[in-house]
Amino acid sequence: MRASILVPLVVAATAATAATTTTARADGLVELAVGGGLPLAEDDYADTVDNSAKFAVHAASVGERGVGVDLGLDVTPVSLDNAQFFGLEASAWRFRGLVGARGQWPLGAKGVGFVRGGAGVDLARYAVTGTLLGQSVDTSETDVGLALEVGGGVGVRLGGAIVSAQLALPIALHFDDDDPADPDDFDFEYTGIDLDVLFAVGTTM
């Protein structure tokens, strides 16, 4: 009777100890990244979007096996090929939130390599302002699509910081087609693929 009671208690205690040890050995990282994106996708997307700056923040927690969770937020003030037309000016922004996994391994004494991948939300906003034929125009639309991303990089540990160079392939899938009957409705049906080149500074915890 007592043995049957002790066995699950020992198992539970062992599991709790292992979980505590894994948590204690987790390598936490928060990094800020800046860089640019080069559009690669279908002609409609690549002909509309130009090379754009990108700003991102990532948070990761990697366990002793080198695998863990990776979270990301980024913003892109999108550069447009034809931002001005007929007295109107167009602007666009992209905001992304990602949840995924990160794999990390040491490179020499202070180096580190990593890969990451995730999925989440891609929020695209397009606005047009100005004057057309004497009429003031101020219209915008925001669409929520699917975000996918894979990336990786190499870095070097400098004390409690990691400085890294990264490449990423962000993918945006939007499915809202243009409604011809609505003059304020924009065409948000597209697949956007970019090549990001980023430089990041992070702090380990």
Side-chain angles (χ1 to χ4, degrees):
M1 179 74 68
R2 292 181 179 177
S4 61
I5 294 175
L6 288 175
V7 169
L9 291 177
V10 171
V11 172
T14 303
T17 302
T20 303
T21 302
T22 300
T23 303
R25 294 182 180 178
D27 187 7
L29 170 69
V30 176
E31 65 179 12
L32 298 176
V34 61
L38 171 68
L40 301 177
E42 59 193 22
D43 291 344
D44 288 345
Y45 176 78
D47 290 344
T48 303
V49 176
D50 205 351
N51 299 344
S52 303
K54 184 170 186 176
F55 308 91
V57 57
H58 292 105
S61 179
V62 179
E64 59 182 351
R65 295 186 177 180
V67 179
V69 177
D70 187 274
L71 307 176
L73 293 172
D74 62 66
V75 57
T76 301
V78 180
S79 295
L80 302 173
D81 278 344
N82 297 304
Q84 296 182 344
F85 52 97
F86 300 110
L88 301 177
E89 184 170 354
S91 61
W93 290 79
R94 176 189 295 161
F95 305 88
R96 292 163 61 88
L98 297 163
V99 178
R102 182 182 182 110
Q104 186 171 292
W105 60 91
L107 295 175
K110 294 186 177 182
V112 59
F114 68 90
V115 294
R116 59 179 174 82
V121 174
D122 184 278
L123 190 150
R125 178 175 175 81
Y126 184 80
V128 175
T129 58
T131 303
L132 180 64
L133 300 177
Q135 299 294 321
S136 178
V137 176
D138 187 359
T139 183
S140 64
E141 185 177 354
T142 301
D143 186 68
V144 178
L146 174 64
L148 303 171
E149 184 166 322
V150 293
V154 293
V156 59
R157 295 181 183 271
L158 301 174
I162 296 180
V163 179
S164 63
Q166 307 179 16
L167 293 176
L169 196 69
I171 301 171
L173 304 172
H174 288 262
F175 310 99
D176 184 11
D177 197 5
D178 180 30
D179 182 2
D182 185 355
D184 293 327
D185 187 56
F186 297 108
D187 186 3
F188 273 109
E189 185 179 22
Y190 68 88
T191 298
I193 303 176
D194 298 272
L195 175 63
D196 286 349
V197 179
L198 303 170
F199 298 94
V201 177
T203 179
T204 58
M205 296 177 291

